[in-house]
Amino acid sequence: MTVEKDLHQITKKIDDFNNETKLNLKLHVEHEASTHRKVLLNGLFYGAIHEGIQTIVDEKMNEFTKNTDLKPQELYVYLKGQITAHPALSKRQLHYLAYDHLEHITDNRFLKKIYKTMKKRMR
């Protein structure tokens, strides 16, 4: 029961991080738009431009958070299976297996590079 609770807490932290990242990006876009509002031509309707920017930011952030899903429960089940099959695995080997698994399940090229780098450090 406590493993499920821990996994739920990890998932919640990931979701909180993604939501915080979305908020920070929106605030940054809002700041940049207000800074550059003076540059826009008088004939342009600022509200329509702002809505267009917000729509694009929302789409990109949703795509980003979808591609950064670490799937902690899936990773836990995978590592548990590895430990069951090979009880003598060291902590370092488990880290390597975790990065290898995450590298194979993600579609995000940036995360693949990170996982690959982390695997190299675990050798």
Side-chain angles (χ1 to χ4, degrees):
M1 191 65 161
T2 142
V3 171
E4 287 182 22
K5 184 179 176 183
D6 291 344
L7 289 173
H8 178 72
Q9 287 176 343
I10 291 169
T11 304
K12 184 174 177 350
K13 286 181 182 180
I14 292 169
D15 290 342
D16 290 345
F17 172 78
N18 287 338
N19 290 335
E20 185 179 325
T21 303
K22 282 182 189 179
L23 178 63
N24 286 335
L25 183 61
K26 284 183 180 184
L27 291 173
H28 179 71
V29 168
E30 183 70 32
H31 172 72
E32 289 297 318
S34 66
T35 302
H36 293 69
R37 188 182 304 196
K38 299 171 193 164
V39 177
L40 295 175
L41 299 173
N42 290 336
L44 293 176
F45 182 61
Y46 176 73
I49 293 170
H50 179 70
E51 287 178 24
I53 291 171
Q54 288 297 87
T55 302
I56 291 169
V57 168
D58 287 342
E59 288 172 7
K60 293 295 181 184
M61 285 307 300
N62 286 334
E63 181 181 325
F64 175 76
T65 55
K66 182 179 135 192
N67 288 338
T68 57
D69 185 10
L70 299 178
K71 301 174 184 163
Q73 290 178 328
E74 181 181 323
L75 179 61
Y76 172 77
V77 170
Y78 170 76
L79 291 176
K80 188 175 181 181
Q82 291 297 318
I83 290 173
T84 303
H86 312 284
L89 286 172
S90 70
K91 190 174 181 179
R92 187 174 193 87
Q93 290 168 321
L94 283 174
H95 279 121
Y96 180 86
L97 289 171
Y99 293 131
D100 185 57
H101 179 72
L102 289 170
E103 180 185 4
H104 286 93
I105 66 169
T106 188
D107 295 328
N108 188 309
R109 289 182 290 161
F110 179 69
L111 287 176
K112 280 187 184 284
K113 287 181 182 180
I114 291 173
Y115 297 142
K116 196 173 194 175
T117 302
M118 296 305 292
K119 278 181 12 183
K120 286 179 183 176
R121 291 182 183 177
M122 290 292 121
R123 287 185 185 164

